[in-house]
Structures are given as C-alpha cells and as structure tokens.
Amino acid sequence: MSRLIKAASAAAALSGALALTVTAAAVSSSQTGTQTSVQSYTGESSPWTAQTVGAWGNVPTASVNVTVPSGTTRFVDARFTAESVCAGDASAWCSVRIVVINSAGTTTELQPVTSTDYRFDSPGGAEEAHALERFSAPLGPGTYTVRVQALRITGITQFTLDDYAFVVGLVEP
C-alpha cells in the first residue's frame, strides 16, 4: 500500500505543466500538454505470472477507464512500475506494453510504439524493479480503456510481475 501512495504522491506532483518527448531507435514521438485533468491509480500486491508464450496477456487490475469530454481532445500519459522475474533462455526477454482501447474495441499501443521490441526484463538475477511510461496521440471525445499487457517471448519459462502500480493521466493539449 505504501508503494501505491508514494506513486500517487509523485504523480500528483505532475499536476502543473507537463511536456513529454521520447526518442527511440531514430523514430521520434512527442506530445505537449498544459494540465493533467484526471489521474487514476491502481495497484496490486499479489504476484501474476504470464501463462501464454507469444501472445499479449492483460495484466490483472492494471486497467483504467477514462472519458474524454465532449468537444475536447486529450492524450493519455500512463506509467507502469513492477517487481519482475524473467527466467529462461538468455537470448530471450519479457515485454510489457500499454494500450488504449476505444469503445469500438480497437486496440492501439501507446507511443513510442515498439511492439515486442521493448525489453521490460531479461533473464538472470532475482526479482527487481522495472518501469515503463507511454503516451497516446490526441484522443477525441469518448470512453477508453487504458491497460497494461505482458508478453513472454519464445524461450521464456517464467514472467512474473508483483507489487505493481499503474498511473494514468488525461492531459489537456
């Protein structure tokens, strides 16, 4: 519980001006916002293990519903932190992504889009802390689900997440 409170306190400190710029593999993405209008927090202290190899799985309780008001646009700023254990072939890795799902059911990975290339954790070592932060393109009015998904790449025998926190903010452009 104290980790969630610390994460919530840190996120609340961002309620002023917010600007994000991310660069990855020579592909640049950026969004600039003036104010975070809504922040949602969720956390889990029970471990969860990805069961399927090669398919994205929804991380339980790491899901937040947000609504963009009529006549406006917003972009999502989402952060996921967790303790992680990734075991298996040394050339493989464990991946995490954050997606937004619109009311029609269309799933879009938040930026920067890396698909399975983002290495949240790699085999070797004990349980350790990792983090991921992503943002969306501007979203039009409507209701959206923002969720974390995890993936075991071929060669991974265990991918477990524990003591995780998920923070989602709607930022006014």
Side-chain angles (χ1 to χ4, degrees):
M1 180 68 172
S2 65
R3 288 185 184 132
L4 181 57
I5 292 170
K6 289 177 185 175
S9 297
L14 295 175
S15 63
L18 177 65
L20 299 174
T21 302
V22 179
T23 304
V27 176
S28 145
S29 312
S30 68
Q31 294 292 339
T32 301
T34 58
Q35 175 180 343
T36 303
S37 58
V38 176
Q39 289 185 324
S40 301
Y41 309 93
T42 184
E44 181 65 63
S45 60
S46 298
W48 173 79
T49 300
Q51 298 298 316
T52 306
V53 175
W56 291 103
N58 295 329
V59 177
T61 71
S63 177
V64 171
N65 292 321
V66 296
T67 301
V68 176
S70 176
T72 68
T73 61
R74 300 286 188 270
F75 70 89
V76 168
D77 175 28
R79 183 178 329 101
F80 177 72
T81 61
E83 291 177 342
S84 174
V85 172
C86 181
D89 187 354
S91 65
W93 63 90
C94 298
S95 192
V96 170
R97 70 179 184 174
I98 302 174
V99 298
V100 62
I101 305 162
N102 66 17
S103 58
T106 303
T107 300
T108 304
E109 184 175 351
L110 297 188
Q111 299 175 25
V113 175
T114 58
S115 186
T116 62
D117 191 46
Y118 183 77
R119 296 173 186 230
F120 189 76
D121 198 357
S122 298
E127 189 171 58
E128 54 205 12
H130 295 274
L132 168 72
E133 185 163 7
R134 294 291 190 257
F135 60 94
S136 72
L139 302 173
T143 301
Y144 300 86
T145 300
V146 184
R147 86 174 48 231
V148 178
Q149 295 182 326
L151 175 71
R152 284 175 45 200
I153 301 293
T154 300
I156 294 299
T157 57
Q158 177 189 4
F159 183 22
T160 300
L161 299 169
D162 192 15
D163 299 331
Y164 50 87
F166 185 42
V167 180
V168 176
L170 273 184
V171 180
E172 298 176 23

